[in-house]
Amino acid sequence: MRGTKCALIFIAFICFQISCDSLEDDTFLHRALRKLKFRVTEISEVYPARLERYDALFLQDLHKAPTETEVKGIQSFVNDGGTLIVAGHNRVLDGLFKIYGLELRDFSETQEFSRIADKPFFWRYPVAEIRVRTDSVIIESVEREVAVLYRTADGAVVVTFRDGEGRVFFIASAYLFSVDGLRYDESNATLLYNLMSTLPRNARIGLAERIYYTVETRPPNPFAALVFGTRGGLGAVYICLVLFIFLMLRGRRFGKPLDVRERSRRLSSEYVHAMTALYQKGNTRPDILRHIRDTFRADLGNRWRINPNLDTPTFLRELTRRGAVDVDEELTHLVTDLEPSGNISEAQLLNIAKRVDTYREVANIGRTQLTVHRSL
């Protein structure tokens, strides 16, 4: 009962879609399959066929013959468990028919209707007659087990058979699944519904209408062919490349690149030597000590998230609480010694600067880059 209701709903959808003037023949089948809850990929130049991603391949009214490689790929796809549905009587399909031992044979007149001669293949929703408007029938050229779904007096219009793990449906009519073919008789819509009922729910379908593309046979991109396939295009690429390199290197100073690693930067002790020599006449060693202290406390504050402007006892307590490295209270003594207390000799200043450098290495604290050069 539920299946009958689904079939009726689908047939009603077909009738409704046909009544919409905006529909085009090449998109109608796609919309109908999506209405049946299938995941449909429309095969085109942009999205060529990738058979490993599909459960079924639907070829409708091809106007271009698949290549020998494509035919072998389709045959392997079916043999591995895929479903192939081919609708059309164009002679470009001869390669597909021949590999399965079938042959298209012409009628002298167009066949409008095809009637069932034997027991219906689709027993749940049988149809007595379909409107095919075809001038071809399918003839078995080799002996194989073929189930005839719909036939004329001279041959089959629709046949099906198993091949390996998969199943094949050949339909000698492109008209049957077109908008016009589904317009005249609801039995055609019922046949489409029956065919798709053989697939699992939410099956992935690759749909090719008129032309079947694969990655190997899709036409080249026109823009890429223009750029890389002509002398003018290659010349334009060369000019753009040269211009890009020129802009990138414009204003660059060539020479040995500077080593930016931490260990190659100037040490605080070098700073002390340079600044002491520069300001020794002015007796500015306390200023240098104050600068080293402020820089060191700022680095400690950044490392352990502490305000560097706290008074020294509070600053040390916060460092201890935050887990700062203080082996043998070296950090405590160092912070205390950095406080200016009267005059300080160059030797004392140099010793403190070396202790600061040593602690930076031990605690892995970033060193502020100094730009002072030895001037004396």
Side-chain angles (χ1 to χ4, degrees), residues 233-253:
L234 291 174
V237 171
Y238 175 76
I239 292 173
C240 292
L241 181 61
V242 171
L243 181 61
F244 173 76
I245 295 175
F246 169 75
L247 293 175
M248 290 293 294
L249 300 180
R250 184 180 180 183
R252 178 185 175 94
R253 294 181 180 179

Side-chain angles (χ1 to χ4, degrees), residues 6 11 14 41 46 54 104 116 120 143 155 174 195 198 216 224 251 264 268 291 293 309 338-339 347 363-364:
C6 291
I11 295 169
I14 294 289
T41 299
V46 181
Y54 308 144
L104 276 175
I116 299 174
E143 184 178 351
L195 282 176
T198 62
E216 293 77 15
S264 65
S268 298
H291 175 76
R293 179 203 63 182
N309 297 320
L338 283 170
E339 292 297 328
N364 193 23

Side-chain angles (χ1 to χ4, degrees), residues 252-261:
R252 178 185 175 94
R253 294 181 180 179
F254 293 93
K256 183 179 179 181
L258 296 177
D259 188 356
V260 297
R261 290 182 297 179

Side-chain angles (χ1 to χ4, degrees), residues 66-67 73 77 88 158 166 244 268 308 338 371:
T67 65
F77 166 73
V158 183
F244 173 76
S268 298
L338 283 170
T371 58

Side-chain angles (χ1 to χ4, degrees), residues 328-343:
D328 295 331
E329 297 186 350
E330 173 60 24
L331 178 60
T332 301
H333 297 316
L334 186 56
V335 172
T336 303
D337 292 344
L338 283 170
E339 292 297 328
S341 57
N343 194 15

Side-chain angles (χ1 to χ4, degrees), residues 92-145:
V92 302
L93 296 171
D94 284 346
L96 277 173
F97 276 89
K98 286 180 180 179
I99 63 170
Y100 290 111
L102 302 175
E103 178 185 347
L104 276 175
R105 185 169 298 177
D106 293 337
F107 279 142
S108 57
E109 297 180 0
T110 299
Q111 180 75 24
E112 284 290 335
F113 293 93
S114 180
R115 299 178 180 276
I116 299 174
D118 300 323
K119 182 178 178 181
F121 181 81
F122 302 116
W123 57 270
R124 182 173 296 179
Y125 311 114
V127 241
E129 186 178 71
I130 56 175
R131 185 162 185 161
V132 291
R133 189 176 290 181
T134 180
D135 54 7
S136 301
V137 294
I138 301 172
I139 305 298
E140 296 178 61
S141 57
V142 297
E143 184 178 351
R144 67 179 303 140
E145 184 179 348

Side-chain angles (χ1 to χ4, degrees), residues 1-12 124-126 190 193:
M1 185 66 182
R2 183 177 180 182
T4 303
K5 184 177 180 181
C6 291
L8 293 175
I9 292 174
F10 175 70
I11 295 169
R124 182 173 296 179
Y125 311 114
T190 304
Y193 180 83

Side-chain angles (χ1 to χ4, degrees), residues 168-189:
V168 177
F169 294 92
F170 275 107
I171 303 162
S173 171
Y175 172 82
L176 195 151
F177 295 141
S178 67
V179 174
D180 290 339
L182 295 169
R183 176 184 297 161
Y184 291 105
D185 197 324
E186 68 179 27
S187 62
N188 289 357

